[in-house]
Amino acid sequence: MSQECRPTIRTRVPLPVAQEAEVLRKAMKGMGTDEAAIIKVLTSCSNNQRQVLIQEYKRAFDRDLIKDLKKELAGNFEDVVLALMTPTSEFLATELKHALNRKDGDSVVQIIFASDPARVSSIKAAYDSANDDKLEEDFDDEMKGVFEDVLIATVLSKRGEDCSEDVAVSVARAIYNDDHGVDKDEVVKAFSTLSFKQLRHVFLEYYKLAGRTLGEAFGLEFKGKEKANMQALFKCIENRSGYLAAALRDSMAGPGTNDRNLIRLVVSRSEVDLGSVKDEYFKMYNKTLEGDIQHDTSGDYKKVLLALTQYNY
């Protein structure tokens, strides 16, 4: 299965940096705050360009843009804006630390296995810089079993780019164990080193051998939290857009909203594949992502999330 990556937010070319910094200053100067202007500026450019705006704001006005935003904004709206203004890998490293503290395997999968190898390396560097322990050490402390082994191997290994059919067949045979379900060592090796495209080929070949999906095999092989984590890992790699659509749905399902997860998913995927995730969301639930956000949130918080779900190009 091909994994389409269609973002909703792209780099704005050209970006009138001085003009946009002026708009932000005007939005926060004097009495009241022009939230609409802030939303328009920050959702019309990329994260890298927002970092340039921070520098220009300091150069032009000798003021700290982040401090001004914190002073003017509040609540979930402030949380979204600060997430937008934080370099992506630093933001995801902070979210990963929170997920590990809560032993939240689903969020760990969403951060690590929905990211390309370059982003994973950047997240690990940011995490190691911000915390006393290295990322692999915290994986060892907070996660268990084969899932822990896959996580550690993933951040310490180099993921390949090969996608040959012969490799997929041989890996599927190595993983398949007629007597014991799956070979766990081979699972760790495959999931931490093969490209995601190659792994999807492996999933197809495994199904031909076993007569069941590897996700179903994980359901038979593992128990409890380890089973849930390994099946989440399988789902994320098999159909990333569908997996993330389900995560967004879960963040808004039932009474209340998991605002932290909703913010992380919308902000972090907006420059990667949120457009593709939106399409999958509609296929899965016969509802639009925008409609559910509209129903579940309010005020400027709702407005900024909706702005991020719209194509800025």
Side-chain angles (χ1 to χ4, degrees):
M1 178 184 293
S2 65
Q3 303 285 295
E4 186 182 9
C5 292
R6 196 167 71 259
T8 53
I9 303 297
R10 287 183 174 172
T11 299
R12 181 178 165 192
V13 181
L15 177 69
V17 177
Q19 179 180 321
E20 294 295 69
E22 176 68 36
V23 170
L24 289 171
R25 181 71 194 115
K26 184 178 178 181
M28 295 182 282
K29 193 174 182 179
M31 295 293 290
T33 305
D34 187 348
E35 291 88 356
I38 293 171
I39 292 171
K40 184 176 181 180
V41 170
L42 299 186
T43 61
S44 66
C45 60
S46 67
N47 185 277
N48 285 340
Q49 290 179 315
R50 294 181 205 119
Q51 307 313 309
V52 174
L53 284 174
I54 291 172
Q55 296 170 8
E56 174 61 21
Y57 193 90
K58 177 66 175 177
R59 186 202 66 77
F61 310 111
D62 194 27
R63 297 180 67 90
D64 186 314
L65 177 54
I66 302 301
K67 287 183 179 179
D68 281 356
L69 289 167
K70 286 181 177 180
K71 182 180 178 182
E72 297 293 330
L73 310 180
N76 291 322
F77 178 47
E78 178 187 359
D79 291 340
V80 178
V81 168
L82 294 180
L84 288 170
M85 300 308 295
T86 305
T88 302
S89 294
E90 292 180 19
F91 170 62
L92 288 175
T94 299
E95 293 299 294
L96 186 56
K97 180 66 173 176
H98 178 77
L100 286 172
N101 287 342
R102 295 171 58 85
K103 302 186 188 302
D104 179 359
D106 255 326
S107 292
V108 172
V109 170
Q110 292 159 22
I111 294 168
I112 295 295
F113 291 97
S115 297
D116 63 31
R119 176 64 72 194
V120 172
S121 295
S122 185
I123 291 170
K124 173 173 164 46
Y127 189 101
D128 292 351
S129 176
N131 296 284
D132 293 334
D133 293 328
K134 293 185 180 298
L135 179 54
E136 62 270 23
E137 294 170 339
D138 281 349
F139 282 154
D140 185 47
D141 289 340
E142 305 298 344
M143 297 289 131
K144 302 298 178 188
V146 174
F147 183 62
E148 171 203 326
D149 294 339
V150 172
L151 288 170
I152 292 172
T154 294
V155 298
L156 296 180
S157 303
K158 179 177 173 60
R159 193 173 292 281
E161 299 178 0
D162 183 38
C163 58
S164 75
E165 189 172 330
D166 289 343
V167 170
V169 171
S170 65
V171 171
R173 287 174 177 165
I175 290 175
Y176 178 63
N177 186 318
D178 197 26
D179 294 326
H180 303 100
V182 296
D183 186 310
K184 295 177 182 179
D185 290 338
E186 293 294 336
V187 167
V188 172
K189 181 179 177 182
F191 275 71
S192 61
T193 61
L194 298 183
S195 71
F196 295 136
K197 185 175 181 179
Q198 182 75 83
L199 280 168
R200 289 189 286 274
H201 285 305
V202 170
F203 295 168
L204 292 173
E205 295 301 329
Y206 182 90
Y207 184 81
K208 293 176 187 176
L209 282 171
R212 58 176 174 252
T213 69
L214 190 52
E216 290 168 338
F218 288 164
L220 297 171
E221 184 72 21
F222 303 109
K223 296 180 180 180
K225 192 64 177 174
E226 186 177 19
K227 178 174 82 171
N229 289 339
M230 292 302 293
Q231 289 185 317
L233 177 53
F234 170 78
K235 290 174 184 176
C236 181
I237 295 172
E238 182 193 40
N239 180 359
R240 185 177 69 190
S241 293
Y243 176 72
L244 294 172
L248 280 162
R249 177 73 170 167
D250 288 346
S251 74
M252 294 181 282
T257 305
N258 187 328
D259 295 295
R260 185 162 195 151
N261 282 1
L262 177 60
I263 291 167
R264 170 172 49 77
L265 287 162
V266 171
V267 169
S268 67
R269 305 317 300 184
S270 61
E271 289 185 54
V272 183
D273 56 4
L274 189 57
S276 306
V277 173
K278 285 202 312 177
D279 291 345
E280 198 70 19
Y281 195 98
F282 185 76
K283 290 178 188 176
M284 292 167 66
Y285 305 111
N286 199 31
K287 292 183 174 183
T288 65
L289 175 60
E290 295 95 319
D292 279 351
I293 289 174
Q294 189 105 17
H295 179 267
D296 242 57
T297 61
S298 62
D300 293 312
Y301 176 40
K302 174 176 70 177
K303 291 175 184 176
V304 70
L305 289 178
L306 289 175
L308 289 167
T309 66
Q310 306 307 307
Y311 296 100
N312 76 331
Y313 51 92

